[in-house]
Amino acid sequence: MCGIVGAVSERDVQGILLEGLRRLEYRGYDSAGMAVLDGKSAVQRAREVGKVESLAAAIEASPLSGHLGIAHTRWATHGEPSQLNAHPHMSGDRLAIVHNGIIENYQELREELKADGFEFTSQTDTEVVVHLIEKNYRELGKLYDAVKTAVTRLRGAYALAVVHADEPEHMVVCREGSPLVIGVGIGENFIASDQLALLPVTDRFMFLEEGDLADIRRDSIEIHDREGALVDRAVSRFEHSADAAEKGEYRHYMLKEIHEQPRVIKATMEGRVTDSRVLEQALGIEAGELLQDVRHVQIIACGTSYHAGMVARYWIEDLAGVPCSVEVASEFRYRKHVIQKDTLFLCISQSGETADTLAALRQAKKAGFRAALAICNVPGSSLVRESDLVIMTQAGPEIGVASTKAFTTQLTALLIFSLALARKNGLSAEREADIVKALHLVPGQVSDVLALEGEIAEMSERFVEKNHALFLGRGSQFPVAMEGALKLKEISYIHAEAYPAGELKHGPLALVDSEMPVITVAPNNSMAEKLKSNLEEVRARGGELFVFADRAANVKPEENIHVVQLPEVHEITAPIVYTVPLQLLSYHVAVLKGTDVDQPRNLAKSVTVE
Ligand code: AGP
């Protein structure tokens, strides 16, 4: 939720930290701060409310200077966005800390530390951690030991980076439930919540495991696991080019990411499908044997990833004939559930660090299932490490908070998985070949849809003054409508709801009038005729319809019916293609409304807290 970055080097670290924060801003952006040590004086600290650029301006006016530093960009959980609540937090003037996560027992610790004489200046849960470390430091005299002892008292999720002015040659970091990566340099080392933050300085990374505690110096990295054993964590190279995280010619990351979809969908197919069939080995060596045993699929995810799971349910039940349940992680984790032994537990997550999804997986492990499959976009993420099978989407870094290319690559991976499972369950070679051929056409069809951007941008002008919108779809297009509604509300702040079109007459039709735009995804499929009757119901109530349909669906533009004609697509692959015009529509509405497209209010890219 928040982003942390740290550096220990021979050179001045202020610029490295600031660039790291800019790259982490997608994780939180209500305030930012930095603490730097020069080995001579006390901790130098700067904190500002607002985006990283406010901090940059403050630092430009009065620079910090030193070879060791930590920095933070915040997404408020405990306490409003304010300078006092911004990180780094300090105890006295020599100890500083940055934290990503939530300390659940902070109230209890706060009372205890107050009784010990510590004074609190913020409303955050983090401040208890820094005072707790200070208390231990006074007794133990070593920062590493003080952090090690302090974390035994913490309940909740945290990634921490800690520095002390009396030990200016190192920082101590640890993780439990929140991501933390170490960037390995030459004669300098770094830490961050996400590799992207460190791409300007290194492409070699070590991922900390849950419970790890590490001592990071210029020329050494020492990691101990939860049991205190000295451990090696493998160094891996970052797979995507550094400029994958740049905006390039585009005005927003979101627009760039929408336009990257033909390429990344293709990349997600690469090595996993031939001309006519899926390669199940590409899902993992054990995939063949494992899929044979699967009698039920339980999908867990949040937000956009949940919508991908909703589409996959149609594919899994239709193609494989295997029962499939889909649930949002935040609900699943807090109810009693029955998981059969032959269940494949499928978690979908762009980041692989979503707290609810990880918690659901960990809980389900206790209940027992055949295996866990992750569909994820971030190599080395917690989800990837904790799953038996992994299908990596090849979307590359997704920076815009509103998920776009992650969704369509998730769908691509899910369709490949569904076909592999279906083959074990009697899908004919002909049907498989027919769908795989259709999948190969998707990148081109998405490019064709992107070419309609001008038309869609023009259409978006009709939404600027609206306060509400309804999205309709039927069958596997219903989750596409849900995703369309999520995109619109997320970045344009227009209230939007999605309904399966057949549900309209059971309630939402009451909302339809000339002020309620109704957006419909209507490919010519087995549900087309029924959907058209639903559209008539809307028209008859004076509603204004915006229909995305192919020629064969035969929806004619008339007064109050605006039609964008999409390419003809296979019914199975249509959800991937029909998602794209809805992304473009939301994007252009948001641009016209002047909202912050890449960093919409109140949201963060990676929800690593509950
Ligand atoms: C989508 O636009 C959102 N940013 C959000 O719903 C997101 O999909 C959700 O938080 C899940 O994230 P994940 O895929 O990284 O687990």
Side-chain angles (χ1 to χ4, degrees):
M1 239 30 204
C2 305
I4 65 180
V5 59
V8 52
S9 175
E10 212 163 15
R11 51 180 164 151
D12 200 286
V13 293
Q14 180 196 289
I16 300 170
L17 297 179
L18 205 54
E19 179 56 23
L21 286 185
R22 288 191 178 107
R23 289 164 168 262
L24 287 176
E25 200 166 32
Y26 72 89
R27 300 177 65 89
Y29 34 81
D30 58 48
S31 54
M34 186 185 292
V36 172
L37 280 77
D38 61 7
K40 296 177 218 118
S41 49
V43 173
Q44 308 157 54
R45 175 172 66 164
R47 297 183 294 172
E48 289 297 321
V49 175
K51 295 196 169 192
V52 172
E53 283 320 307
S54 312
L55 178 71
I59 288 177
E60 200 183 324
S62 69
L64 313 179
S65 162
H67 61 278
L68 172 68
I70 52 178
H72 188 272
T73 178
R74 179 168 186 250
W75 185 82
T77 55
H78 297 63
E80 63 190 5
S82 68
Q83 195 176 37
L84 285 179
N85 286 333
H87 299 220
H89 287 285
M90 293 179 63
S91 194
D93 62 358
R94 306 192 74 74
L95 175 67
I97 186 175
V98 287
H99 166 219
N100 170 30
I102 284 185
I103 306 302
E104 284 173 352
N105 58 336
Y106 85 103
Q107 281 292 11
E108 164 197 328
L109 291 170
R110 196 176 163 108
E111 292 316 311
E112 181 186 315
L113 289 159
K114 271 188 185 168
D116 287 336
F118 286 97
E119 278 177 24
F120 283 78
T121 56
S122 80
Q123 302 155 297
T124 64
D125 51 342
T126 304
E127 202 180 352
V128 300
V129 185
V130 73
H131 291 317
L132 191 61
I133 295 171
E134 170 63 18
K135 183 178 163 185
N136 288 308
Y137 189 80
R138 288 177 194 168
E139 282 167 28
L140 302 166
K142 281 203 167 129
L143 184 62
Y144 186 87
D145 295 341
V147 177
K148 186 178 169 187
T149 310
V151 295
T152 61
R153 299 285 319 278
L154 305 181
R155 274 205 324 269
Y158 49 84
L160 302 172
V162 195
V163 292
H164 199 295
D166 293 344
E167 300 183 18
E169 64 291 337
H170 73 141
M171 66 182 133
V172 178
V173 304
C174 59
R175 74 159 286 192
E176 183 74 62
S178 298
L180 196 69
V181 62
I182 298 173
V184 183
I186 299 168
E188 55 185 0
N189 287 309
F190 316 92
I191 59 102
S193 302
D194 180 327
Q195 301 165 90
L196 292 181
L198 301 176
L199 289 183
V201 285
T202 186
D203 65 350
R204 294 187 304 143
F205 295 96
M206 278 181 190
F207 296 94
L208 290 186
E209 300 279 330
E210 297 289 3
D212 280 356
L213 183 68
D215 186 344
I216 317 279
R217 293 165 191 265
R218 271 204 313 112
D219 47 9
S220 71
I221 296 167
E222 211 166 84
I223 305 172
H224 288 88
D225 67 12
R226 195 192 300 283
E227 275 70 47
L230 189 62
V231 285
D232 275 336
R233 300 288 176 225
V235 178
S236 56
R237 279 196 185 268
F238 186 73
E239 286 175 11
H240 304 286
S241 63
D243 66 2
E246 309 289 347
K247 217 170 352 191
E249 75 208 58
Y250 292 96
R251 183 166 166 197
H252 296 103
Y253 281 110
M254 182 181 177
L255 188 61
K256 173 186 177 240
E257 289 159 4
I258 289 173
H259 279 268
E260 282 173 342
Q261 289 177 110
R263 180 175 58 77
V264 294
I265 290 170
K266 210 167 171 193
T268 301
M269 286 158 57
E270 255 169 46
R272 294 179 174 141
V273 286
T274 68
D275 284 355
S276 57
R277 62 196 306 269
V278 298
L279 299 166
E280 74 185 18
Q281 307 91 304
L283 311 187
I285 307 168
E286 303 144 56
E289 198 186 326
L290 198 148
L291 294 181
Q292 194 78 54
D293 297 345
V294 171
R295 296 283 164 272
H296 176 238
V297 179
Q298 173 68 63
I299 299 181
I300 292 296
C302 303
T304 289
S305 297
Y306 168 70
H307 297 153
M310 293 273 288
V311 174
R313 183 176 64 179
Y314 287 89
W315 290 335
I316 291 167
E317 298 207 342
D318 175 5
L319 303 175
V322 172
C324 175
S325 320
V326 193
E327 192 165 344
V328 287
S330 54
E331 285 300 313
F332 180 88
R333 64 180 288 197
Y334 286 117
R335 71 175 179 85
K336 280 202 172 160
H337 37 252
V338 179
I339 300 180
Q340 293 150 17
K341 292 271 174 257
D342 49 14
T343 295
L344 180 73
F345 199 80
L346 201 176
C347 291
I348 309 168
S349 173
Q350 186 282 129
S351 61
E353 299 293 350
T354 299
D356 285 323
T357 308
L358 288 172
L361 171 63
R362 288 167 191 160
Q363 270 207 11
K365 276 188 180 172
K366 290 185 208 144
F369 48 63
R370 177 63 181 86
L373 166 65
I375 305 252
C376 190
N377 193 42
V378 179
S381 60
S382 302
L383 182 65
V384 166
R385 283 182 282 119
E386 293 179 32
S387 301
D388 306 297
L389 286 181
V390 176
I391 308 179
M392 294 305 304
T393 49
Q394 298 297 331
E398 190 181 65
I399 308 291
V401 165
S403 199
T404 53
K405 61 177 180 170
F407 180 69
T408 47
T409 53
Q410 283 168 347
L411 291 181
T412 306
L414 284 161
L415 181 52
I416 292 170
F417 160 75
S418 305
L419 287 167
L421 183 66
R423 199 157 67 207
K424 296 282 180 205
N425 288 276
L427 182 77
S428 71
E430 292 71 36
R431 187 147 191 232
E432 181 178 352
D434 176 48
I435 296 168
V436 170
K437 281 183 185 140
L439 186 55
H440 280 291
L441 297 177
V442 167
Q445 290 161 343
V446 170
S447 298
D448 293 345
V449 174
L450 292 172
L452 301 171
E453 185 172 355
E455 195 181 330
I456 296 170
E458 215 170 283
M459 183 186 256
S460 67
E461 289 167 20
R462 305 188 74 88
F463 286 76
V464 181
E465 300 301 326
K466 304 288 187 212
N467 295 315
H468 307 274
L470 261 184
F471 284 72
L472 301 180
R474 291 197 79 135
S476 60
Q477 293 292 339
F478 166 50
V480 171
M482 292 170 80
E483 175 59 10
L486 177 64
K487 288 288 90 87
L488 190 69
K489 61 187 138 191
E490 207 177 7
I491 57 169
S492 74
Y493 315 147
I494 293 176
H495 168 236
E497 295 297 334
Y499 275 91
E503 272 292 292
L504 208 55
K505 54 187 169 299
H506 298 290
L509 202 54
L511 295 171
V512 172
D513 62 12
S514 58
E515 285 308 298
M516 175 68 86
V518 179
I519 302 103
T520 311
V521 272
N524 183 36
N525 58 22
S526 50
M527 302 300 284
E529 285 312 315
K530 297 209 175 301
L531 183 69
K532 280 201 255 173
S533 316
N534 303 138
L535 300 190
E536 285 307 322
E537 293 161 10
V538 172
R539 265 192 92 198
R541 273 91 192 162
E544 189 173 11
L545 280 162
F546 298 85
V547 185
F548 295 91
D550 55 23
R551 190 193 305 270
N554 199 22
V555 184
K556 297 267 182 291
E558 285 176 44
E559 204 194 337
N560 280 344
I561 306 191
H562 311 273
V563 182
V564 175
Q565 197 175 302
L566 300 191
E568 280 176 37
V569 286
H570 194 290
E571 181 162 0
I572 292 287
T573 53
I576 311 178
V577 180
Y578 273 68
T579 296
V580 179
L582 302 188
Q583 296 169 343
L584 287 170
L585 180 67
S586 299
Y587 172 77
H588 285 286
V589 175
V591 168
L592 288 175
K593 292 196 73 172
T595 59
D596 191 338
V597 172
D598 286 330
Q599 296 175 339
R601 68 185 182 201
N602 305 339
L603 299 179
K605 181 70 183 162
S606 186
V607 188
T608 55
V609 292
E610 231 193 302

